[in-house]
Amino acid sequence: METALGIFMICCMSVLSPFSGVKDGELQGCPPSPNCISSQSWKYNYIHMVEPLIYKGERSLAFQKLKDFIDQSENIHIDEIREQEYIRLTYFTKVFRFPDQVELYFPKDKSYIQIRFNF
């Protein structure tokens, strides 16, 4: 019983994390757990650091292409969207349906997408 409760809590914490969203032009830092990566983790925890996604062209076009791709994909639910700026989504794995939270932030005047992935 304790093991099942522990697994349930871990799954819920990854989806309902208070460490989500954009604050002062940056994604929130990763919590002190090994199941999170972020392109803006250098200042919080460099171990969780990954490179941002780079795109060419206009920000609005890149945002729309990514949104269209997400809309056509299976097992993905958009939780929050701020037009041409931010997308928070939950991806469910195919076999066990584990929820993974993904955040995509399109900073103004930049040609890259900041990402944060909590699995």
Side-chain angles (χ1 to χ4, degrees), residues 20-47:
S20 64
V22 178
K23 183 177 180 184
D24 299 327
E26 291 187 4
L27 293 170
Q28 296 291 318
C30 284
S33 62
N35 62 334
C36 180
I37 58 171
S38 173
S39 59
Q40 293 183 318
S41 275
W42 182 255
K43 102 190 222 187
Y44 302 107
N45 188 342
Y46 67 90
I47 294 171

Side-chain angles (χ1 to χ4, degrees), residues 32-79:
S33 62
N35 62 334
C36 180
I37 58 171
S38 173
S39 59
Q40 293 183 318
S41 275
W42 182 255
K43 102 190 222 187
Y44 302 107
N45 188 342
Y46 67 90
I47 294 171
H48 296 168
M49 180 72 177
V50 295
E51 295 297 320
L53 302 173
I54 298 171
Y55 63 87
K56 294 181 182 179
E58 303 225 3
R59 177 178 165 220
S60 60
L61 184 60
F63 185 93
Q64 191 59 48
K65 281 184 176 183
L66 188 56
K67 184 181 175 302
D68 290 344
F69 174 79
I70 293 167
D71 287 338
Q72 295 172 6
S73 299
E74 292 182 30
N75 303 332
I76 298 178
H77 176 264
I78 294 178
D79 300 317

Side-chain angles (χ1 to χ4, degrees), residues 8 15 17 25 31 37-39 43-45 53 56-57 59 78-79 81 85 87 90-91 94 102 110 116:
F8 175 75
V15 175
S17 173
I37 58 171
S38 173
S39 59
K43 102 190 222 187
Y44 302 107
N45 188 342
L53 302 173
K56 294 181 182 179
R59 177 178 165 220
I78 294 178
D79 300 317
I81 191 163
E85 181 181 355
I87 301 173
T90 303
Y91 170 77
K94 288 195 180 230
V102 180
K110 306 287 184 189
R116 183 175 179 274

